[in-house]
Amino acid sequence: MRRWCLFSWVLCGLTVLPGQTPSLTRQFQQVRDAVVTVWSDFGSGSGFIVDARGLIVTNDHVVAGARWVAVQFDPSHKVRALVLSEDAVRDVAVLRADLAAFPGAHAVELAPAAEVAGVQPGAPVFTVGSPLHQRQVLTAGIVSGIEPRAFLSDLDLNHGNSGG
């Protein structure tokens, strides 16, 4: 079973299959169609769909203060988005967009707090984002430490991964 957790500024895909190591390729294929590129007045970042009604989570610093925000699913599907909520302290923002424009897009299920609490150093993690103006790029690593409000990892993230 795959679950997703949001900590600080990166979404980490967690392997939560006791006794098994599922294929990273299979996990990537399951989640990539939930990842969008987020565009604002200031540049771009990443986001992920968490609700079939069009809720998208990204980092606040990707959209903070923007007058114009859009999300892009693929090269030919880009729509305006509305910023519904922002938390600058936690660096999280929630957007809404019309997902009818994104054939094939789907939402990911966020992990309950109890599952997230069981994550230990050494657990595999990955992020899917839009680094360096690419889209739906996979970056893998491991959890290297646990802090009260963040997982530390060895993920190599580039400009544009924020919010993925």
Side-chain angles (χ1 to χ4, degrees):
M1 172 179 294
R2 111 187 103 60
R3 302 281 188 166
W4 305 96
C5 64
L6 179 68
F7 274 94
S8 185
W9 62 279
V10 67
L11 172 75
C12 302
L14 302 178
T15 302
V16 191
L17 293 173
Q20 295 184 25
T21 304
S23 162
L24 182 60
T25 300
R26 188 179 70 219
Q27 287 185 340
F28 172 66
Q29 291 169 344
Q30 290 172 339
V31 301
R32 72 175 170 213
D33 291 339
V35 178
V36 297
T37 301
V38 178
W39 296 93
S40 74
D41 302 332
F42 314 114
S44 66
S46 303
F48 56 98
I49 303 166
V50 296
D51 182 273
R53 295 170 294 180
L55 296 181
I56 298 167
V57 176
T58 189
N59 287 115
D60 184 52
H61 72 263
V62 173
V63 298
R67 294 182 314 263
W68 176 84
V69 175
V71 293
Q72 185 170 7
F73 180 70
D74 62 30
S76 60
H77 296 91
K78 183 177 185 179
V79 298
R80 295 268 324 236
L82 175 65
V83 178
L84 297 179
S85 181
E86 295 178 84
D87 185 332
V89 173
R90 291 185 175 99
D91 196 18
V92 175
V94 178
L95 315 176
R96 178 173 299 230
D98 182 5
L99 296 184
F102 301 154
H106 64 82
V108 292
E109 181 181 354
L110 297 178
E115 283 186 28
V116 174
V119 175
Q120 298 294 316
V125 293
F126 70 93
T127 186
V128 180
S130 303
L132 307 172
H133 299 290
Q134 303 296 308
R135 62 177 197 72
Q136 297 175 330
V137 173
L138 171 73
T139 305
I142 63 164
V143 173
S144 54
I146 309 286
E147 295 291 330
R149 295 182 57 173
F151 291 148
L152 305 176
S153 76
D154 66 348
L155 290 169
D156 184 18
L157 302 176
N158 292 298
H159 179 74
N161 267 112
S162 293

